[in-house]
Amino acid sequence: MNKRDEFSPKTKTAVALRASHRCSFPGCPQITAGPSDESPDAVAMVGQAAHIHGAASGPGSRRYLSSMTPEERTDIANAIWLCGTHATLIDRDGVTFTADDLREMKRTHEARCAELQRNAFLAGDSVADLIAIGPHIACVGEFFGAERGELNFRLRSFVDGDIHALLAFVDHFQDIRPADRYVLVNELGDGRVLNGPLSVKKEGSGGYTIQCPVLPSTARIKASELPMDLALSNTHDLFVAGGDLATVSGFTALPQRLKICLSHQAGESRFSPDFGTRFGAYYRLLIGSPWFGHFLKLEVIRMAAIPYHDGSLGSEQTPLRCVERVFAIDLLAGAPENRWLPIRLDLQVKGVGRWQHELKVYIPDESRESAVAAMTGARSRGQGSRSR
């Protein structure tokens, strides 16, 4: 039997999200996920990430290309989200449904999904935003209340992870790495470190309410107190001023700090493995989708609000140090130029107030991203749970 090159769970989640959990086949009204009557936490999933070029060679494999590598066959570019009926249909007819036809079908459907979501925002309709609970659970939901030491949310649906992952997060909270115990809320532009396990309750409407015990907001410093650092030129290199390497500090160091922190990929630092963003991974999976900006905002919130352990200094601090709230992150181009993606940040900065700034962040190529992921995975397997 030929080995099938299957999509990873992350890729399946991303291709479903890009398709708004609707079948990509023209005219198909099928919504591919919803509640099941089997149990209060069961989900009926009737969609699947289908291969554009077949996952394996042999009889019955449609549009298989022997020249493709396993990595190319399992890449999101080779996936289209379909209901079960249309996934079966395209796998039985490789003549009517060519690879080019399926790619155009996917492109048209995703563009339509993006347009519908943008129009909803422009019309002022109520569109729930993302809430992240640790690094592996992201939900569509709303903040609806706070008490001393507790934040309350209503979750509509999962876009990364599921109810079982959420319950496992609750059950095994004490075993979770301290750096991964957090909640991030796009609606608030803020995040908090969790102070204990969550409380999860099923709602009659099919969603969930969660109560999050949280620590007080992490202390920030004023922008004027940012420490001195070596200055970088517009070409991202060190340069000399007055015979010495140029430096920046205080408020003038903030733009550079933003660029460095947001361009650094999670897992790259041997001294601080919890430092860095997942911009590269999200770019690969979600570029072109309106959800891309939402996930980037979550990452900026995490860098602004959640402290990490700085192994070189032996202390804990938020990476962005002086950013108190993230109002928005806007993409200024559809794709990076020479790996640099222009964005605009709208922030609340301590000692300054509301402040906007345009900058470019580095998006790594796939080979570097894969190497970082492999390093991070090996480190996680070697360390298991740990405390700071």
Side-chain angles (χ1 to χ4, degrees), residues 60-112:
S61 181
R62 309 301 179 188
R63 300 169 297 276
Y64 178 80
L65 278 183
S66 59
S67 59
M68 292 182 78
T69 65
E71 291 74 21
E72 289 171 329
R73 287 192 198 93
T74 57
D75 190 84
I76 194 170
N78 194 41
I80 180 172
W81 190 255
L82 296 167
C83 66
T85 299
H86 287 115
T88 301
L89 179 64
I90 70 165
D91 277 346
R92 290 181 177 174
D93 189 346
V95 175
T96 302
F97 302 107
T98 67
D100 285 342
D101 290 335
L102 296 178
R103 281 189 285 265
E104 179 59 22
M105 185 187 299
K106 174 183 178 179
R107 187 201 66 76
T108 301
H109 178 72
E110 290 184 353
R112 176 60 176 162

Side-chain angles (χ1 to χ4, degrees), residues 131-144:
I131 297 168
I133 301 168
H136 305 302
I137 301 170
C139 314
V140 175
E142 307 101 356
F143 166 77
F144 72 86

Side-chain angles (χ1 to χ4, degrees), residues 37 41 75 78 136 150-151 195 208 225 265 368 376:
D37 293 332
D41 60 2
D75 190 84
N78 194 41
H136 305 302
E150 185 176 274
L151 299 178
N195 195 29
Y208 302 89
E225 298 171 349
Q265 301 303 298
R368 177 179 166 192
T376 306

Side-chain angles (χ1 to χ4, degrees), residues 4 27 38 60 70 129 134 137 238 322:
R4 289 179 57 83
E38 289 188 356
D129 212 331
I137 301 170
L238 300 175
C322 60

Side-chain angles (χ1 to χ4, degrees), residues 5-78:
D5 294 316
E6 301 287 4
F7 301 116
S8 70
K10 285 285 187 184
T11 298
K12 292 177 183 179
T13 295
V15 73
L17 184 60
R18 294 176 66 91
S20 295
H21 279 281
R22 294 177 180 271
C23 179
S24 301
F25 199 90
C28 181
Q30 183 71 64
I31 298 174
T32 60
S36 168
D37 293 332
E38 289 188 356
S39 68
D41 60 2
V43 175
M45 176 64 75
V46 295
Q48 56 187 276
H51 287 76
I52 294 174
H53 289 289
S57 61
S61 181
R62 309 301 179 188
R63 300 169 297 276
Y64 178 80
L65 278 183
S66 59
S67 59
M68 292 182 78
T69 65
E71 291 74 21
E72 289 171 329
R73 287 192 198 93
T74 57
D75 190 84
I76 194 170
N78 194 41

Side-chain angles (χ1 to χ4, degrees), residues 13 37 73 87 111 115 142 199-200 210 213 266 272 307 312 344 355 358 386:
T13 295
D37 293 332
R73 287 192 198 93
E115 179 185 9
E142 307 101 356
S199 174
V200 182
I210 62 170
S272 304
S312 61
R344 179 190 299 111
W355 178 76
E358 294 182 9
R386 62 184 178 88

Side-chain angles (χ1 to χ4, degrees), residues 1 82 108 134 304 316 326 335 359:
M1 180 181 294
L82 296 167
T108 301
E316 287 192 355
V326 181
L359 72 155

